[in-house]
Amino acid sequence: MKRKSLIALLLAATVAATSMLPADALAAPTSTKTKKTKKPAKKAAAPASDYYTGEFVNYNQWKEVQQFAGDMVAKHGFSRAELDSLFSNVRYLDSVVQLVKPAPPGKPKNWSVYSSRFIEPIRVNAGVRFWNENADALARAEALYGVPAETLVGLIGVETIYGRDTGRFRVVDTLTTLAFAYPLAPNREARMAFFRDELEATLLYARQAGIDPLSLQGSFAGAVGMPQFMPSNILKYAVDFDGDGRIDLRNSAADAIGSVAAFLVGHGWHREQPGALVYPATVSPSRAWETYLTGGLEAKFRPEDLTAAGVVTTSPLPPGMLYGLVDLQNGSEPTEYWVASNNFYAITQYNRSYFYAMSVVELGRAVRLSRGAN
């Protein structure tokens, strides 16, 4: 199979599972954008047929890998022999290298096309089932963290269709490849440092959880489980929400729900915030409002400032809060404008994209309405 065909196949297979990554993953900021069950203490590596296999390279002969292994021994007390054994089984994934390369310039961004991938019957129906099956965990998370069930349902649905598409790349293969063989790019050194940190976090998490690091599967960027947490975020934000004594984002819907809520709170979600996440808006022809599109992924403008610049919402904004202006480009069609609250921007810290955060909002709303109608 030609390389282009292979890459297209892999991308199609993982696009739902890796539709978006946490805030510190690949994307740069842009304005357009249960039941408790006993689980085994240790899991064996997945059979080769269950994940994308790569090319054998002797990573133990790579100077940078040797230095990384030495740091893991010195900083965290890992066994050098165990690390050498691990890296002798790690594979180089050229498909991952191709997938992280920037996409060539193409058509203008199109919110309608983008959102149609996520707000569609299969995902909505799956969301209704997920909500019904995990109503207790969702209610507990909402009470504990203040994050509404529909936001949690929307986010997990956008990420992996509720665990259906969590990725078939071995995380250690992916992260080792990107940590030491990232493709040429202006930000190559920074990206390699990021993925080395994630590889370090993977090994720490695997040791802490008592699992074989080679058993972890995820996206082409190393994100894991139903919520597609990068390994460092597993260490920082993942919680044992089903109370079985261990954190399992791959198999426990309750752990995924609680962990997403904890992540959002850790990135600025305010439980006491009144009103909606976003408000439809119109903008004046004067274009004085354009300066408010450069405010970054943060709510920092007063309602009266937006009004003075020609931004008008279809319903009143709750007073005493700060907001931001969001633009959703629609290809050749008119751009949509929304005024966003602080909690909307907390979602953008999961993935730094307006398109992503709005998809979470719209999918959660669609699931809630469908569930209510049924």
Side-chain angles (χ1 to χ4, degrees):
M1 180 181 294
K2 293 183 179 179
R3 173 173 292 182
K4 289 185 178 179
S5 298
L6 172 62
I7 300 309
L9 176 61
L10 293 174
L11 183 57
T14 59
V15 66
T18 61
S19 56
M20 299 295 155
L21 300 175
D24 52 0
L26 296 176
T30 173
S31 67
T32 56
K33 296 211 285 184
T34 123
K35 291 181 180 179
K36 297 181 183 179
T37 57
K38 275 291 181 182
K39 296 181 275 286
K42 193 174 184 69
K43 293 186 178 182
S49 60
D50 288 347
Y51 58 83
Y52 295 120
T53 56
E55 174 187 353
F56 172 77
V57 297
N58 191 346
Y59 277 118
N60 285 318
Q61 292 184 346
W62 292 29
K63 178 181 177 181
E64 295 83 358
V65 175
Q66 286 290 297
Q67 181 177 340
F68 173 84
D71 290 343
M72 294 299 293
V73 171
K75 291 170 59 178
H76 304 297
F78 279 84
S79 161
R80 185 56 180 262
E82 289 181 359
L83 290 176
D84 288 345
S85 176
L86 172 69
F87 284 115
S88 70
N89 287 288
V90 174
R91 297 295 184 263
Y92 169 82
L93 296 176
D94 183 66
S95 56
V96 163
V97 173
Q98 301 305 320
L99 286 167
V100 300
K101 288 182 177 180
K107 297 179 181 179
K109 295 179 182 294
N110 192 311
W111 161 242
S112 295
V113 172
Y114 179 97
S115 62
S116 68
R117 294 168 48 200
F118 302 104
I119 297 84
E120 47 81 29
I122 291 176
R123 210 173 294 244
V124 171
N125 292 336
V128 171
R129 290 193 298 272
F130 181 83
W131 194 328
N132 290 338
E133 292 169 0
N134 298 282
D136 289 345
L138 289 164
R140 283 196 298 117
E142 185 165 345
L144 180 62
Y145 295 103
V147 182
E150 73 177 79
T151 300
L152 300 171
V153 169
L155 194 150
I156 295 172
V158 166
E159 286 294 338
T160 61
I161 318 183
Y162 310 101
R164 192 184 78 177
D165 298 315
T166 58
R168 289 181 53 211
F169 295 89
R170 286 198 315 193
V171 170
V172 174
D173 290 344
T174 289
L175 295 179
T176 302
T177 298
L178 297 178
F180 303 107
Y182 197 87
L184 291 177
N187 63 346
R188 182 173 188 263
E189 292 303 316
R191 303 317 300 154
M192 290 173 70
F194 168 79
F195 286 111
R196 282 195 298 272
D197 289 344
E198 293 300 331
L199 179 59
E200 177 181 358
T202 299
L203 298 182
L204 290 171
Y205 166 64
R207 182 172 69 177
Q208 175 182 299
I211 60 176
D212 181 350
L214 291 174
S215 74
L216 285 171
Q217 293 180 4
S219 75
F220 68 81
V224 175
M226 294 184 200
Q228 292 288 273
F229 268 24
M230 293 301 286
S232 63
N233 284 329
I234 298 177
L235 294 177
K236 293 175 186 175
Y237 301 107
V239 296
D240 173 22
F241 208 58
D242 63 11
D244 70 347
R246 61 193 298 259
I247 296 168
D248 184 359
L249 300 183
R250 296 181 287 175
N251 302 300
S252 171
D255 286 0
I257 288 165
S259 299
V260 170
F263 179 96
L264 292 175
V265 170
H267 286 82
W269 186 280
H270 294 166
R271 67 180 304 143
E272 70 280 2
Q273 178 179 287
L277 294 176
V278 289
Y279 299 83
T282 58
V283 294
S284 68
S286 70
R287 308 193 74 82
W289 44 267
E290 284 187 334
T291 184
Y292 292 101
L293 292 174
T294 61
L297 299 178
E298 183 181 358
K300 57 184 181 182
F301 304 118
R302 300 178 302 169
E304 52 266 37
D305 296 331
L306 292 167
T307 301
V311 179
V312 178
T313 55
T314 57
S315 59
L317 299 175
M321 294 170 49
L322 299 179
Y323 299 90
L325 182 61
V326 169
D327 60 333
L328 301 179
Q329 296 178 12
N330 255 326
S332 60
E333 298 299 315
T335 296
E336 291 184 21
Y337 294 94
W338 298 76
V339 170
S341 66
N342 172 81
N343 286 350
F344 176 87
Y345 286 101
I347 299 173
T348 69
Q349 300 309 303
Y350 211 98
N351 181 285
R352 300 170 72 83
S353 162
Y354 289 161
F355 278 19
Y356 173 82
M358 188 63 74
S359 292
V360 169
V361 172
E362 293 292 341
L363 178 59
R365 177 178 179 273
V367 172
R368 173 175 57 79
L369 293 175
S370 180
R371 185 170 180 260
N374 294 330

